[in-house]
């Protein structure tokens, strides 16, 4: 983390002369202490009901990932749709066990579109699905997949699905 507080002469890629000059030689340590001990929350923010937005605290981050990952990768002609587990520690009502004998452990389940090991898009299983697909008679899993297929940036992809 200290390389961000170097001069551009020391680190041409991430260095910043203005920050180096104004923050001093111990800026990396000061930043670490600030990051570890500073917390902020708006007390006037009202969280939505859990049924509407179960991942409320990290939803903005997930939306940003969904946006930026689409522009960071050009999909090939063949992609795959499968489930992924975001492993986690701690307690959550959304935490699921991945099989009785799997070594992966516990985590939150997602349905994901991947291409050559790169996760292009994901949809958490605890998030509500689009009502237009449910009213068409599809299961929630297939509704999540069709929602992800809708937001492909280009056409004519083959999607391989395993156990879906």
């Amino acid at each position: 983390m200290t390389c961000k507080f170097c001069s551009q002469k020391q680190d041409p890629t991430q260095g910043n002369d203005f920050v180096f000059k104004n923050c001093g030689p111990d800026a990396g340590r000061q930043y670490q202490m600030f990051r570890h001990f500073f917390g902020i929350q708006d007390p006037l923010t009202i969280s939505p009901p859990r049924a509407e937005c179960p991942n409320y605290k990290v939803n903005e981050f997930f939306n940003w990932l969904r946006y930026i990952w689409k522009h960071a990768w050009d999909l090939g002609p063949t992609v795959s749709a499968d489930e992924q587990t975001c492993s986690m520690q701690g307690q959550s009502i959304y935490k699921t066990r991945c099989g009785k004998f799997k070594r992966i452990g516990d985590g939150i389940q997602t349905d994901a579109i991947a291409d050559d090991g790169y996760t292009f898009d994901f949809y958490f299983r605890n998030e509500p699905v689009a009502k237009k697909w449910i009213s068409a008679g599809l299961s929630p899993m297939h509704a999540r997949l069709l929602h992800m297929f809708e937001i492909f940036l280009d056409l004519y992809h083959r999607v391989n699905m395993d156990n879906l």
Side-chain angles (χ1 to χ4, degrees):
M1 186 56 64
T2 57
C3 65
K4 291 185 179 180
F5 299 102
C6 297
S7 66
Q8 281 187 315
K9 186 176 183 181
Q10 294 170 327
D11 187 0
T13 306
Q14 294 182 342
N16 188 327
D17 290 333
F18 177 79
V19 172
F20 180 72
K21 184 176 97 175
N22 292 310
C23 293
D26 197 28
R29 181 72 180 140
Q30 291 172 3
Y31 174 72
Q32 281 183 337
M33 291 174 64
F34 174 78
R35 190 183 70 199
H36 286 298
F37 298 111
F38 181 73
I40 188 165
Q41 181 178 0
D42 185 3
L44 301 177
T45 302
I46 299 170
S47 59
R50 186 172 276 179
E52 291 178 17
C53 189
N55 302 325
Y56 165 70
K57 292 181 181 179
V58 289
N59 201 33
E60 291 295 321
F61 177 65
F62 291 152
N63 288 339
W64 175 248
L65 289 177
R66 288 179 179 126
Y67 170 77
I68 202 70
W69 286 356
K70 285 177 194 56
H71 298 287
W73 188 265
D74 289 328
L75 282 179
T78 304
V79 297
S80 62
D82 204 357
E83 61 186 20
Q84 289 182 350
T85 303
C86 299
S87 56
M88 62 171 285
Q89 296 177 349
Q91 296 180 358
S92 173
I93 61 171
Y94 304 118
K95 193 174 184 179
T96 57
R97 185 93 177 135
C98 297
K100 191 173 181 181
F101 299 106
K102 286 191 177 181
R103 301 180 73 148
I104 296 173
D106 300 338
I108 296 177
Q109 293 281 321
T110 64
D111 291 321
I113 303 291
D115 180 27
D116 198 23
Y118 182 84
T119 300
F120 181 75
D121 196 10
F122 60 94
Y123 204 115
F124 283 96
R125 290 195 176 171
N126 62 341
E127 291 180 313
V129 294
K131 299 207 183 313
K132 74 175 187 176
W133 298 114
I134 298 297
S135 62
L138 296 171
S139 69
M141 179 188 64
H142 292 106
R144 285 189 292 270
L145 288 173
L146 286 172
H147 174 75
M148 289 190 285
F149 295 160
E150 274 185 334
I151 51 180
F152 279 176
L153 298 177
D154 49 1
L155 302 174
Y156 309 113
H157 293 285
R158 252 188 334 261
V159 180
N160 295 329
M161 295 185 235
D162 181 33
N163 297 333
L164 293 181

